[in-house]
Structure formats: C-alpha cells, structure tokens
Amino acid sequence: EPEVTQTPSHQVTQMGQEVILRCVPISNHLYFYWYRQILGQKVEFLVSFYNNEISEKSEIFDDQFSVERPDGSNFTLKIRSTKLEDSAMYFCASSAYYEQYFGPGTRLTVT
Amino acid sequence: RKEVEQDPGPFNVPEGATVAFNCTYSNSASQSFFWYRQDCRKEPKLLMSVYSSGNEDGRFTAQLNRASQYISLLIRDSKLSDSATYLCVVKGGPDKLIFGTGTRLQVFP
C-alpha cells in the first residue's frame, strides 16, 4: 500500500537556526499539506499546496515558514529562524481528492 | 464554541464491549467528516469517512446528524488493538482539516 514518507524522523536544532523538513507524498496525489501537533495538543493545519502554489494557509503559517516542491517527488517545509515554540511533531499529508493520508511525522525539538 | 468538540475520555472498556464516541462541530456549512485514529506519538490514520446516510466498515459504524451538527462512531466487539485516541475531523475549508482533541479508548482484557 503506498504511503507518505518523511525525513528525518527526529530533528534537534538550536533557536534561530533554519530547518527543512522533507516529505515524499503518495505518487499519484496532487494535493499536499503540512500539519503540526504540539505535545499534548490537537493536530493543527499549517498549509495546503496544489499545482505548485499555496492554496490555503493558517495564521500559524507566517513569514518564517515556506513550502516548496523542488522536484517531482519531494515536498518540503522550511522554517527560517526556529523558535522554542516551534517544537512539535510536523506531519505531511497528501490526497488525490478527498481523503488525506498522513506521513509518520518529524519530531522537531528546538533548544 | 470550539470548532470540533469531543469528550477526551478515557473510555476504559473490556474486550468485546461496544463503545460509542460523539463529536459536535460548530460550522453548519461543513461538508466532509472523518474519523481518524492516532496511536501514541504516531500519525493520524484515516479510519473512515462519514457519509450523510451513515456508513459501516466491519465493526465500525459512523453516523452524521447535520441538523444537530453531531457525528458519532460506534465500535462493536472491541479488541485490545482498538486502544488508541479517536479523532473527529471536519473539513474546514477547501483544503484544511480541523481536528478535535480526540477521545482516548483503552480496551482491557
């Protein structure tokens, strides 16, 4: 069964550093998403991406965040200058149309 | 009112029991509804979409009541492997999913 993959599984970074989280969506899917989950809290939408552009974003997704599809398979989330409060689990998801399937997540720890 | 509201539980039930979870949502214009399950520190996994007419998948039955803005999930014949957090999810716009905080289920032998 095809699945979304994410790398790395765990990233530790210092405050102020840039991080890039990587995702490989399911191959025939055209819609891509990033969500985050702070420990003990609910899953929150960050951004959706379709046809090489952002289609929707939340108020969490401010100027320090960006997304890119650098080639035909990868989908990345960049956080430019990390803050302590960016520590969370980041999930990538993809969909063909209706149902979204999630990757295993990257645990980001900002120290 | 929260966008998606669930009883956090935990629901502690013996194997073989039937358990029901409920969820309410605030936006009457919402069109798509889902149940996901999430194991500790893992990704949400799609359990089932919820259709207006109600739908069943094996031991799982989902119901939608649009008038009351209420979604339910029934699990029959609970297994130990059903222990997880069950997330009620509503599509909040063209793309984004809005998650509830989840209801924790613990099935004991």
Side-chain angles (χ1 to χ4, degrees):
Chain A
E1 186 177 310
E3 50 186 32
V4 177
T5 59
Q6 290 186 243
T7 53
S9 56
H10 191 190
Q11 172 100 44
V12 182
T13 190
Q14 288 191 325
M15 204 164 51
Q17 296 296 302
E18 175 182 286
V19 294
I20 297 176
L21 310 183
R22 291 183 166 81
C23 167
V24 178
I26 294 171
S27 64
N28 63 339
H29 286 185
L30 299 177
Y31 300 84
F32 315 118
Y33 313 86
W34 284 100
Y35 291 80
R36 78 170 186 193
Q37 187 174 30
I38 294 168
L39 190 62
Q41 297 186 23
K42 64 180 183 177
V43 177
E44 299 174 290
F45 170 79
L46 292 177
V47 67
S48 58
F49 192 85
Y50 170 71
N51 203 23
N52 278 321
E53 58 184 33
I54 290 173
S55 46
E56 192 175 358
K57 61 182 180 178
S58 72
E59 57 229 23
I60 303 168
F61 193 88
D62 61 22
D63 291 345
Q64 68 162 335
F65 291 93
S66 61
V67 289
E68 198 178 33
R69 188 152 161 82
D71 54 44
S73 59
N74 289 285
F75 178 51
T76 62
L77 174 70
K78 185 193 288 189
I79 309 175
R80 257 179 276 285
S81 176
T82 49
K83 305 182 195 129
L84 293 176
E85 55 265 36
D86 293 328
S87 294
M89 195 75 162
Y90 287 81
F91 294 110
C92 174
S94 70
S95 68
Y97 179 66
Y98 179 67
E99 294 170 341
Q100 295 183 23
Y101 295 89
F102 285 72
T106 293
R107 179 166 301 283
L108 177 66
T109 302
V110 182
T111 61
Chain B
R1 186 177 174 184
K2 287 184 187 171
E3 289 179 290
V4 179
E5 200 146 4
Q6 295 181 253
D7 179 345
F11 284 55
N12 296 306
V13 303
E15 271 186 292
T18 295
V19 61
F21 306 133
N22 304 317
C23 163
T24 56
Y25 60 95
S26 61
N27 185 355
S28 59
S30 299
Q31 293 295 317
S32 304
F33 310 90
F34 309 90
W35 283 101
Y36 280 75
R37 83 169 259 168
Q38 186 174 33
D39 293 285
C40 192
R41 294 182 177 245
K42 301 282 190 183
E43 76 272 25
K45 284 192 155 79
L46 180 65
L47 188 62
M48 56 201 303
S49 303
V50 186
Y51 304 123
S52 295
S53 53
N55 48 302
E56 189 173 306
D57 183 1
R59 298 182 293 109
F60 299 84
T61 301
Q63 297 277 357
L64 169 65
N65 183 323
R66 284 189 189 273
S68 303
Q69 293 176 213
Y70 170 96
I71 307 159
S72 66
L73 177 69
L74 184 79
I75 306 176
R76 285 181 299 279
D77 188 24
S78 299
K79 313 283 184 205
L80 294 176
S81 56
D82 294 334
S83 297
T85 297
Y86 289 82
L87 307 175
C88 177
V89 182
V90 174
K91 206 153 196 211
D95 298 320
K96 73 177 184 183
L97 297 181
I98 301 172
F99 284 77
T101 50
T103 299
R104 200 153 64 88
L105 172 66
Q106 185 66 51
V107 181
F108 58 87

